Amino acid sequence: MASPQRSADFGTLAADAYERVRRTERLRQELATITGTAASDDGLVRVRCTPLDGVAGIDIDPRALRMASSELGGTLVRLIREAHQDMAAQMRQATADAYGLPFDPDAVPDPQALRARLTGASALARDTAGDARALVEEIRRRR
């Protein structure tokens, strides 16, 4: 039969998993509302980016059309990049806020710590499955 410690551990794991699912769903909804923005120094050219649409909008004041085409093109490319970077920064912050830790998508987890956690979870699952089999056998014997 499951020991009280193992049952408590499984209950904690289940509660933690549920909480992560809840946070992830809330984060997914929040990420969908994020808009990165950038504007030229004079405010004549503005760009908006969203996670779903990429470039979601470009506003060009007619006065900006007085620029040389290469200058306007360069300004657009720069602002698109800046709006995308703004959006990415907001997404990283939202993720950090959701999970209560800094989020670095390029960070590589410590393989030994990850292995230890997975080994512990695997052992707990094996023990719980073994306890469940023993309980089923006990019920069969009593019939």
Side-chain angles (χ1 to χ4, degrees):
M1 272 235 214
S3 70
Q5 178 63 37
R6 286 188 189 142
S7 296
D9 288 346
F10 185 74
T12 300
L13 284 174
D16 288 348
Y18 176 77
E19 177 61 21
R20 284 189 181 271
V21 167
R22 192 181 62 74
R23 283 186 204 177
T24 300
E25 177 58 24
R26 197 170 53 223
L27 175 62
R28 186 190 63 75
Q29 291 171 356
E30 183 177 343
L31 291 177
T33 67
I34 288 177
T35 300
T37 60
S40 60
D41 293 337
D42 57 12
L44 297 179
V45 182
R46 292 179 306 282
V47 173
R48 292 180 313 282
C49 288
T50 65
L52 296 176
D53 299 324
V55 176
I58 297 175
D59 299 314
I60 301 174
D61 186 289
R63 293 174 290 173
L65 299 176
R66 296 182 190 137
M67 285 190 241
S69 61
S70 62
E71 183 182 356
L72 180 56
T75 298
L76 285 169
V77 168
R78 178 179 57 83
L79 293 178
I80 289 169
R81 185 178 305 118
E82 289 176 8
H84 188 268
Q85 289 170 345
D86 178 50
M87 178 187 66
Q90 290 179 55
M91 292 173 77
R92 280 190 301 276
Q93 185 61 52
T95 302
D97 292 346
Y99 293 109
L101 50 93
F103 178 71
D104 180 1
D106 297 323
V108 176
D110 175 11
Q112 290 177 339
L114 184 57
R115 184 176 294 115
R117 288 187 71 188
L118 289 173
T119 299
S122 177
L124 180 60
R126 268 193 318 274
D127 292 347
T128 302
D131 291 343
R133 280 191 298 274
L135 183 58
V136 167
E137 287 301 316
E138 179 69 26
I139 291 170
R140 285 183 181 155
R141 279 194 297 261
R142 290 183 182 183
R143 286 184 152 186

